[in-house]
Amino acid sequence: ATDALGHTATSDLTTFTVAAPPATITLSGIIRDFKIEHPDFEYVISDDDGIVKNTLGADKNPIYNGNPTTTTTTGLVNFNQWYNHVNSINKCTTNAITLTRSTAGIYSYSNTAFFPIDGQLFGNEGKPHNYHFTYEIHATFTYQPGQTITLTGDDDIWVFIDNKLALDQGGVQPPRTGTINLDDPSLGLVAGQTYEFALFFAERHTVQSNLGISTNIEFTPLTP
Protein backbone atom coordinates (compact mmCIF):
# COMPACT_ATOMS: atom_id res chain seq x y z
CA ALA A 1 0.00 0.00 0.00
CA THR A 2 1.08 3.62 -0.61
CA ASP A 3 0.23 6.90 1.12
CA ALA A 4 -0.79 10.22 -0.48
CA LEU A 5 2.86 11.02 -1.28
CA GLY A 6 3.44 7.69 -2.98
CA HIS A 7 5.48 6.20 -0.12
CA THR A 8 5.18 2.48 0.44
CA ALA A 9 3.75 1.64 3.83
CA THR A 10 5.62 -1.01 5.83
CA SER A 11 4.77 -2.74 9.07
CA ASP A 12 7.09 -2.54 12.10
CA LEU A 13 5.51 -5.64 13.61
CA THR A 14 7.73 -8.71 13.85
CA THR A 15 6.48 -12.23 14.34
CA PHE A 16 8.42 -14.27 16.91
CA THR A 17 8.32 -18.03 17.17
CA VAL A 18 8.64 -19.35 20.72
CA ALA A 19 10.32 -22.74 20.89
CA ALA A 20 8.36 -25.45 22.64
CA PRO A 21 10.00 -26.71 25.82
CA PRO A 22 11.84 -30.01 25.39
CA ALA A 23 9.88 -33.17 26.17
CA THR A 24 12.83 -34.62 28.07
CA ILE A 25 16.04 -33.42 29.71
CA THR A 26 18.95 -35.82 30.10
CA LEU A 27 21.40 -35.12 32.91
CA SER A 28 24.70 -36.98 32.85
CA GLY A 29 26.91 -37.45 35.88
CA ILE A 30 29.77 -39.44 37.36
CA ILE A 31 29.33 -42.62 39.38
CA ARG A 32 32.15 -43.82 41.63
CA ASP A 33 32.00 -47.42 42.81
CA PHE A 34 33.50 -48.52 46.14
CA LYS A 35 34.32 -51.86 47.67
CA ILE A 36 32.09 -53.09 50.46
CA GLU A 37 34.94 -52.80 53.00
CA HIS A 38 35.27 -49.02 52.62
CA PRO A 39 34.89 -47.65 56.19
CA ASP A 40 32.01 -45.30 55.30
CA PHE A 41 29.93 -48.04 53.63
CA GLU A 42 27.90 -50.67 55.52
CA TYR A 43 28.61 -48.58 58.63
CA VAL A 44 26.24 -46.75 61.02
CA ILE A 45 22.56 -46.43 60.03
CA SER A 46 21.26 -43.00 61.04
CA ASP A 47 20.04 -39.66 59.77
CA ASP A 48 23.13 -37.48 59.67
CA ASP A 49 22.48 -33.94 58.51
CA GLY A 50 25.55 -31.75 58.79
CA ILE A 51 28.11 -34.03 57.13
CA VAL A 52 29.00 -31.27 54.65
CA LYS A 53 29.57 -27.54 55.01
CA ASN A 54 27.24 -24.91 53.60
CA THR A 55 29.32 -24.05 50.54
CA LEU A 56 31.15 -26.08 47.91
CA GLY A 57 34.91 -26.08 47.78
CA ALA A 58 36.99 -24.53 45.02
CA ASP A 59 36.98 -27.94 43.32
CA LYS A 60 33.15 -27.88 43.24
CA ASN A 61 33.00 -30.77 45.75
CA PRO A 62 31.32 -30.84 49.18
CA ILE A 63 33.57 -29.94 52.11
CA TYR A 64 33.57 -32.41 55.01
CA ASN A 65 32.19 -31.00 58.25
CA GLY A 66 34.11 -33.39 60.49
CA ASN A 67 33.71 -35.94 63.23
CA PRO A 68 32.46 -36.27 65.94
CA THR A 69 29.60 -34.08 64.71
CA THR A 70 28.72 -36.69 62.08
CA THR A 71 28.01 -40.28 63.13
CA THR A 72 27.82 -42.17 59.81
CA THR A 73 31.25 -41.19 58.48
CA THR A 74 34.77 -42.00 59.65
CA GLY A 75 36.84 -38.93 58.86
CA LEU A 76 38.13 -36.44 56.32
CA VAL A 77 40.38 -38.78 54.32
CA ASN A 78 37.66 -41.38 53.74
CA PHE A 79 34.97 -38.80 52.93
CA ASN A 80 37.19 -37.01 50.43
CA GLN A 81 37.28 -40.24 48.42
CA TRP A 82 33.53 -40.10 47.79
CA TYR A 83 33.62 -37.53 44.95
CA ASN A 84 37.22 -37.83 43.77
CA HIS A 85 38.87 -40.57 41.75
CA VAL A 86 41.33 -42.46 43.96
CA ASN A 87 43.24 -45.37 42.44
CA SER A 88 42.38 -48.76 44.02
CA ILE A 89 39.71 -47.09 46.23
CA ASN A 90 37.05 -46.41 43.59
CA LYS A 91 36.27 -46.95 39.93
CA CYS A 92 34.40 -44.40 37.83
CA THR A 93 31.93 -44.32 34.98
CA THR A 94 29.33 -41.92 33.59
CA ASN A 95 25.60 -42.39 34.01
CA ALA A 96 22.64 -40.43 32.63
CA ILE A 97 19.11 -39.99 33.93
CA THR A 98 16.26 -38.59 31.84
CA LEU A 99 13.62 -36.24 33.22
CA THR A 100 10.30 -36.36 31.35
CA ARG A 101 8.00 -33.34 31.05
CA SER A 102 4.36 -33.71 32.08
CA THR A 103 1.44 -31.79 30.62
CA ALA A 104 1.66 -29.58 33.71
CA GLY A 105 5.21 -28.59 32.79
CA ILE A 106 6.95 -30.64 35.49
CA TYR A 107 10.12 -32.54 34.64
CA SER A 108 10.52 -35.70 36.70
CA TYR A 109 12.59 -38.83 37.18
CA SER A 110 11.75 -41.53 39.73
CA ASN A 111 13.53 -44.81 40.36
CA THR A 112 12.83 -46.90 43.45
CA ALA A 113 15.50 -49.40 42.43
CA PHE A 114 18.37 -47.11 41.48
CA PHE A 115 21.17 -49.61 40.84
CA PRO A 116 22.85 -48.28 37.68
CA ILE A 117 26.11 -50.22 38.02
CA ASP A 118 24.92 -53.74 38.85
CA GLY A 119 27.57 -56.19 37.69
CA GLN A 120 29.97 -53.37 36.74
CA LEU A 121 33.22 -51.89 38.08
CA PHE A 122 33.84 -53.68 41.43
CA GLY A 123 30.70 -55.75 40.81
CA ASN A 124 27.99 -56.80 43.26
CA GLU A 125 30.44 -58.45 45.69
CA GLY A 126 28.05 -61.28 46.48
CA LYS A 127 25.03 -59.00 46.96
CA PRO A 128 21.86 -58.84 44.80
CA HIS A 129 22.92 -55.35 43.64
CA ASN A 130 25.93 -53.08 43.66
CA TYR A 131 25.03 -51.04 46.74
CA HIS A 132 28.21 -49.02 47.28
CA PHE A 133 28.60 -45.97 45.05
CA THR A 134 28.32 -42.21 44.83
CA TYR A 135 26.82 -40.10 42.04
CA GLU A 136 27.15 -36.44 41.13
CA ILE A 137 25.34 -34.33 38.52
CA HIS A 138 25.97 -30.73 37.49
CA ALA A 139 23.74 -28.47 35.37
CA THR A 140 22.88 -24.82 34.87
CA PHE A 141 19.53 -23.03 34.78
CA THR A 142 18.06 -19.57 34.46
CA TYR A 143 16.29 -18.57 37.65
CA GLN A 144 12.69 -17.36 37.43
CA PRO A 145 10.42 -16.78 40.45
CA GLY A 146 8.27 -19.77 41.36
CA GLN A 147 10.83 -22.44 40.60
CA THR A 148 11.11 -25.47 42.90
CA ILE A 149 13.00 -28.75 43.04
CA THR A 150 11.75 -31.80 44.97
CA LEU A 151 14.17 -34.65 45.58
CA THR A 152 13.85 -38.10 47.10
CA GLY A 153 16.88 -40.16 47.94
CA ASP A 154 18.60 -42.73 50.07
CA ASP A 155 21.09 -42.79 51.42
CA ASP A 156 22.76 -39.34 51.36
CA ILE A 157 21.55 -36.59 49.06
CA TRP A 158 22.78 -32.99 48.93
CA VAL A 159 21.89 -30.20 46.52
CA PHE A 160 23.87 -27.01 46.04
CA ILE A 161 22.49 -23.98 44.19
CA ASP A 162 25.06 -21.37 43.18
CA ASN A 163 27.58 -23.27 45.37
CA LYS A 164 25.32 -22.90 48.46
CA LEU A 165 23.81 -25.87 50.29
CA ALA A 166 20.08 -25.86 49.52
CA LEU A 167 19.12 -29.40 50.62
CA ASP A 168 20.86 -31.44 53.34
CA GLN A 169 19.66 -35.03 53.68
CA GLY A 170 22.81 -36.80 54.82
CA GLY A 171 23.04 -40.18 56.47
CA VAL A 172 22.24 -43.84 55.92
CA GLN A 173 18.47 -43.95 56.03
CA PRO A 174 15.18 -44.86 54.37
CA PRO A 175 14.11 -42.56 51.53
CA ARG A 176 13.55 -38.93 52.48
CA THR A 177 11.90 -36.23 50.38
CA GLY A 178 12.73 -32.54 50.50
CA THR A 179 11.69 -29.51 48.45
CA ILE A 180 13.85 -26.51 47.57
CA ASN A 181 12.02 -23.23 46.95
CA LEU A 182 14.35 -21.15 44.84
CA ASP A 183 12.55 -17.98 45.95
CA ASP A 184 14.10 -18.50 49.41
CA PRO A 185 15.90 -15.19 50.16
CA SER A 186 18.84 -17.06 51.68
CA LEU A 187 19.79 -18.30 48.21
CA GLY A 188 20.02 -14.72 46.92
CA LEU A 189 19.04 -15.55 43.35
CA VAL A 190 18.26 -12.83 40.81
CA ALA A 191 15.59 -13.40 38.17
CA GLY A 192 17.02 -13.87 34.70
CA GLN A 193 20.48 -14.82 35.93
CA THR A 194 22.10 -18.21 35.27
CA TYR A 195 23.21 -20.41 38.16
CA GLU A 196 24.70 -23.85 38.73
CA PHE A 197 22.82 -26.83 40.17
CA ALA A 198 24.91 -29.58 41.78
CA LEU A 199 23.48 -32.87 43.08
CA PHE A 200 25.53 -35.26 45.22
CA PHE A 201 24.17 -38.70 46.07
CA ALA A 202 25.56 -41.71 47.94
CA GLU A 203 24.29 -45.30 48.18
CA ARG A 204 26.06 -46.78 51.21
CA HIS A 205 24.02 -49.64 52.63
CA THR A 206 21.77 -52.52 51.71
CA VAL A 207 18.98 -52.95 50.79
CA GLN A 208 17.28 -49.95 49.13
CA SER A 209 18.39 -47.34 46.63
CA ASN A 210 15.98 -44.57 45.61
CA LEU A 211 16.45 -41.47 43.50
CA GLY A 212 13.72 -39.06 42.43
CA ILE A 213 13.68 -35.52 41.02
CA SER A 214 10.69 -33.32 40.22
CA THR A 215 11.06 -29.73 39.05
CA ASN A 216 9.63 -26.99 36.88
CA ILE A 217 13.14 -25.93 35.87
CA GLU A 218 14.47 -26.47 32.35
CA PHE A 219 18.02 -27.50 33.18
CA THR A 220 20.94 -27.21 30.76
CA PRO A 221 23.18 -30.24 31.34
CA LEU A 222 26.90 -29.90 32.00
CA THR A 223 29.15 -32.62 30.59
CA PRO A 224 30.93 -34.58 33.34
Side-chain angles (χ1 to χ4, degrees):
T2 58
D3 61 16
L5 298 177
H7 298 148
T8 301
T10 60
S11 172
D12 59 357
L13 298 178
T14 303
T15 300
F16 294 93
T17 301
V18 178
T24 61
I25 297 173
T26 298
L27 302 176
S28 185
I30 299 174
I31 285 185
R32 294 177 176 87
D33 189 23
F34 293 80
K35 295 178 180 177
I36 194 171
E37 61 262 28
H38 188 284
D40 286 343
F41 293 76
E42 298 297 331
Y43 186 47
V44 173
I45 299 175
S46 176
D47 290 353
D48 201 6
D49 296 350
I51 292 175
V52 300
K53 293 186 182 294
N54 290 330
T55 56
L56 289 177
D59 59 357
K60 297 293 186 178
N61 279 347
I63 301 172
Y64 185 59
N65 217 14
N67 267 343
T69 57
T70 65
T71 60
T72 68
T73 63
T74 56
L76 176 65
V77 172
N78 289 330
F79 180 80
N80 282 349
Q81 297 166 353
W82 290 24
Y83 301 106
N84 289 288
H85 178 58
V86 184
N87 286 331
S88 78
I89 299 296
N90 56 38
K91 293 183 178 181
C92 306
T93 189
T94 57
N95 182 76
I97 61 173
T98 298
L99 284 62
T100 301
R101 187 177 187 271
S102 71
T103 54
I106 302 299
Y107 290 95
S108 61
Y109 170 86
S110 180
N111 192 340
T112 58
F114 184 64
F115 298 108
I117 52 169
D118 277 2
Q120 302 176 49
L121 306 177
F122 287 126
N124 295 8
E125 298 183 283
K127 301 292 185 182
H129 299 286
N130 187 334
Y131 290 99
H132 310 104
F133 63 90
T134 65
Y135 188 32
E136 64 173 296
I137 292 173
H138 297 264
T140 61
F141 68 96
T142 300
Y143 166 62
Q144 299 296 345
Q147 291 175 331
T148 62
I149 311 169
T150 297
L151 294 110
T152 300
D154 77 287
D155 296 306
D156 314 82
I157 190 164
W158 299 289
V159 173
F160 290 80
I161 302 293
D162 191 30
N163 299 321
K164 301 172 187 175
L165 184 62
L167 182 69
D168 181 3
Q169 293 185 173
V172 179
Q173 60 206 345
R176 284 198 286 173
T177 297
T179 296
I180 305 164
N181 182 348
L182 273 66
D183 295 342
D184 186 336
S186 68
L187 293 175
L189 305 185
V190 177
Q193 297 296 306
T194 298
Y195 297 98
E196 186 168 339
F197 162 88
L199 167 67
F200 297 90
F201 172 93
E203 170 54 37
R204 293 199 276 152
H205 205 288
T206 56
V207 292
Q208 296 187 63
S209 182
N210 292 263
L211 179 61
I213 303 174
S214 179
T215 183
N216 56 358
I217 296 173
E218 188 177 318
F219 286 116
T220 299
L222 291 176
T223 302

